[in-house]
Amino acid sequence: MSTTAPSAAPATAIASFDAVVVGAGFAGMYMLHRLRGLGLSARVYEAGSSVGGTWFWNRYPGARVDIRSLEYSFSFSPELEDEWRWSERYAPQAELLAYAEHVAERFDMKRDIVFDTRIAAAHYHAEEQRWHVTTATGETVSARFLIMATGCLSVPTDVNFPGIADYQGRLLRTSQWPHEGVDFTGQRVGVIGTGSSAIQSIPVIAAQAADVTVFQRTPNYSVPAQNGPLDPDVVAEWTANRAEYRAMLRTSPLGSIVDARETLVKDEGREAAFAEFERRWQQGGFKILGAYADTWIDPEANAVAADFAAAKIREIVKDPAVADLLTPKDYPWATKRLCVDTGYYATFNQPHVHLVDLRASPIETFTPTGLRTSTESFDFDAVVLATGFDAMTGALDRIDIRGRDGVALKDRWAEGPRTYLGLMVAGFPNLFTVTGPGSPSVLTNMIMGIEQHVDWIADCLDHLTGRQQATIEALADAEAAWVEHVNEIANGTLYPQANSWYMGANVPGKPRQFLPYAGGLGVYAEHCEGIAARGYEGFVIESAAA
Ligand code: N01
């Protein structure tokens, strides 16, 4: 195992590294940091022109984190924690990007990151026990370990509305927002979609534009962030107890402090539940998720939460018809990712903001000046697509990843992704996925999930290199058992009842399968630690080929 700068591999005459990491968001950055700490040579490839991943790309107006800033930050360096100051309870995108840049600067990361470079292919060469990784421009490097830090929500879905190429106005995507920003002053703007990206951006766009029309296919549940400047007393209290708080995050289900109770709605009753939901609504954000332990699993408890949400929408939105349209009716509460907003529902009280129900009148075509539904034509200066992502598997699917015997990961996953712990795939030695399908990832505070994964991978590499072992690979049986466990947990909840991106339901043809692990971060971490402690149970570890 080399511990020095990359060297040429004589057999193939290509640059070789101990590890290649794909992606320089928070996952790739921390992975690089840990690899360096192990004395391993590493190269990171990043499609964007700088670090930050999600926060590099998603620059739409109103973009901000939906986990409290204090919690949504790295915990691996107390010095880093001491020196960084968040300005708001929920940091805006620009500040999150500044944080990513600060981390990169502080740990001198950029010298090992190749920017503006997509990875097109990664093939395992069993005879060398190495991965050959090829960029979109045709450069190939080799690496013992390949770590995909490609993000869970990094590939936008394909939207092919008829006539879209002929539209003469400005077509924008929330996830590929222009770096220079967009001035909507005096403009007529259409927004397609009502997921988190739309729900965050619509109030901000409406504050600037002359006229905004929101095209909704499925309404979403949203709770107010109750955002504001970060209270210095809260920061002081957090700092004083930081170690305890961080330990709580790591062992909690969501990687976030939501004051979760064991109480059941069915024990407390509807009236008390409404009061508790109201209290947590006022606190803001995901606190409401911690109110009751049965809203995830009991349809009747969930219906009480849904009734509360509907009552809040009716309370805020003045036009009863609009309030009714904004109220979800065909899936359980919080089984799609709960949105966290600032003024979303109230935006619809403004006379220049309109809601179009695409269920009643679908979009038929874009036109040169706007778009036409089955009942009406609209002219827009700009149309914003807030239409979502090919979640969790999209970024991996778009790389030609081939394991043993040239088997393509995309083919292995044709019936849905199969992983062991969301970390490795049978038949793909030394390939790791950070926050991959089958891990808690998107159901947790992503940074805490990322740290847990990266630490596990780094410890695993340390284990291998310390014992002069060359490869680790998930066993098919262990993988099958994990997939079954992931499905069993999901099927014990109400999650599968929603047509969500968690289920792959937003991408035509994608197999319907609950993608993340719903057992919680703390429980999941215990699984991972136990498996490592038992000598990497369920994995086969091999020494270098002679
Ligand atoms: O995407 P979405 P998103 N015609 O998939 C609609 C995270 N995130 O980017 O539901 C018409 O939620 C689609 O309608 P339907 C967070 O985890 C976090 O908003 O398929 N409409 C839906 O309304 C989040 O869950 C933050 O019927 C079409 C919308 O587009 C995840 O990213 C902020 C359509 C897509 O909603 C994804 O959120 C932003 C079509 N052809 C995002 N295709 C934070 O707060 C799709 N839609 C940190």
Side-chain angles (χ1 to χ4, degrees):
M1 193 63 49
S2 94
T3 55
T4 53
S7 58
T12 52
I14 56 176
S16 84
F17 301 86
D18 292 325
V20 159
V21 179
V22 186
F26 287 129
M29 291 166 75
Y30 183 44
M31 193 71 244
L32 173 63
H33 181 70
R34 287 299 318 263
L35 288 165
R36 283 182 179 172
L38 294 173
L40 300 179
S41 65
R43 177 175 279 183
V44 183
Y45 287 99
E46 165 56 50
S49 57
S50 196
V51 294
T54 286
W55 305 109
F56 175 86
W57 297 103
N58 289 269
R59 298 170 186 240
Y60 59 83
R64 65 179 67 249
V65 65
D66 57 5
I67 302 278
R68 290 193 316 148
S69 319
L70 291 170
E71 299 174 9
Y72 188 83
S73 53
F74 282 126
S75 71
F76 68 84
S77 160
E79 297 76 23
L80 173 63
E81 290 192 283
D82 284 339
E83 70 202 15
W84 186 262
R85 286 282 170 271
W86 298 105
S87 63
E88 297 178 52
R89 285 186 73 191
Y90 297 90
Q93 171 272 333
E95 197 167 310
L96 290 153
L97 190 56
Y99 175 70
E101 288 285 349
H102 171 74
V103 174
E105 189 80 16
R106 190 186 198 290
F107 297 99
D108 189 21
M109 290 176 168
K110 289 190 180 178
R111 67 186 156 86
D112 286 325
I113 307 176
V114 181
F115 291 105
D116 298 306
T117 305
R118 273 188 193 281
I119 294 304
H123 294 179
Y124 185 66
H125 288 240
E127 69 290 355
E128 295 174 31
Q129 295 172 307
R130 298 185 75 82
W131 284 88
H132 286 208
V133 182
T134 305
T135 67
T137 50
E139 187 204 4
T140 298
V141 298
S142 106
R144 173 80 63 204
F145 304 107
L146 174 59
I147 299 143
M148 306 304 289
T150 40
C152 293
L153 295 157
S154 48
V155 174
T157 48
D158 299 323
V159 275
N160 291 314
F161 293 105
I164 198 163
D166 302 326
Y167 174 56
Q168 302 291 306
R170 190 150 189 206
L171 193 62
L172 296 152
R173 275 202 102 115
T174 48
S175 54
Q176 292 164 344
W177 204 259
H179 289 198
E180 66 279 12
V182 180
D183 183 3
F184 290 113
T185 307
Q187 295 199 347
R188 298 155 305 171
V189 182
V191 180
I192 302 178
T194 48
S196 293
S197 303
I199 281 177
Q200 287 188 328
S201 58
I202 287 164
V204 185
I205 295 173
Q208 200 176 43
D211 196 85
V212 177
T213 304
V214 176
F215 294 90
Q216 171 184 276
R217 195 163 62 180
T218 314
N220 250 300
Y221 289 104
S222 190
V223 290
Q226 311 290 14
N227 189 35
L230 198 45
D231 181 344
D233 291 343
V234 171
V235 178
E237 200 275 334
W238 167 270
T239 307
N241 300 293
R242 200 169 61 204
E244 288 90 328
Y245 280 133
R246 288 298 194 182
M248 277 167 74
L249 298 185
R250 287 187 199 104
T251 52
S252 68
L254 303 179
S256 177
I257 297 165
V258 297
D259 304 332
R261 308 186 309 159
E262 291 302 311
T263 318
L264 306 180
V265 173
K266 77 167 180 233
D267 292 340
E268 282 215 327
R270 185 181 174 88
E271 203 177 317
F274 264 51
E276 181 63 18
F277 287 136
E278 177 64 35
R279 200 174 68 76
R280 287 170 181 257
W281 180 279
Q282 297 307 334
Q283 290 177 329
F286 290 150
K287 284 275 161 96
I288 204 160
L289 295 175
Y292 291 96
D294 52 353
T295 49
W296 306 103
I297 48 176
D298 176 2
E300 286 179 22
N302 188 284
V304 175
D307 286 351
F308 171 79
K312 291 307 289 187
I313 297 170
R314 281 195 302 274
E315 183 185 308
I316 300 167
V317 180
K318 292 189 183 123
D319 181 335
V322 176
D324 186 57
L325 256 188
L326 288 168
T327 304
K329 297 185 184 69
D330 57 5
Y331 62 93
W333 176 77
T335 50
K336 288 185 172 210
R337 169 82 169 204
L338 192 62
C339 303
V340 177
D341 73 89
T342 297
Y344 176 64
Y345 293 121
T347 300
F348 291 92
N349 292 332
Q350 300 177 45
H352 70 298
V353 180
H354 324 284
L355 184 63
V356 172
D357 177 11
L358 293 181
R359 294 268 171 98
S361 45
I363 294 172
E364 287 190 336
T365 183
F366 269 67
T367 63
T369 55
L371 61 82
R372 194 172 69 233
T373 67
S374 59
T375 55
E376 210 178 333
S377 284
F378 299 85
D379 288 339
F380 294 122
D381 300 299
V383 174
V384 176
L385 299 175
T387 40
F389 300 88
D390 184 352
M392 300 199 72
T393 54
L396 297 168
D397 274 355
R398 278 159 183 76
I399 299 174
D400 177 24
I401 300 172
R402 288 174 191 265
R404 286 191 190 284
D405 307 319
V407 172
L409 185 67
K410 201 175 160 65
D411 293 341
R412 263 299 310 280
W413 286 5
E415 307 294 319
R418 300 176 65 77
T419 68
Y420 185 30
L421 297 173
L423 279 161
M424 295 201 84
V425 183
F428 295 77
N430 289 0
L431 171 74
F432 297 88
T433 50
V434 183
T435 63
S439 76
S441 57
V442 292
L443 297 181
T444 70
N445 170 353
M446 283 299 283
I447 295 204
M448 299 315 292
I450 284 167
E451 284 192 338
Q452 187 273 339
H453 259 196
V454 168
D455 284 338
W456 191 93
I457 295 167
D459 291 349
C460 173
L461 301 192
D462 195 30
H463 177 91
L464 296 180
T465 55
R467 287 162 182 75
Q468 284 79 46
Q469 299 295 311
T471 63
I472 180 165
E473 181 178 352
L475 289 167
D477 285 356
E479 182 183 270
W482 183 253
V483 170
E484 199 182 315
H485 175 61
V486 171
N487 290 338
E488 195 184 322
I489 299 247
N491 291 335
T493 70
L494 301 172
Y495 278 122
Q497 293 185 25
N499 288 321
S500 63
W501 59 258
Y502 291 147
M503 293 296 296
N506 64 330
V507 175
K510 192 164 172 172
R512 198 182 166 94
Q513 174 184 330
F514 192 72
L515 296 167
Y517 175 70
L521 180 64
V523 170
Y524 170 81
E526 278 175 26
H527 277 291
C528 293
E529 282 156 24
I531 283 164
R534 293 189 292 278
Y536 291 89
E537 184 180 68
F539 292 97
V540 60
I541 292 176
E542 285 180 348
S543 53

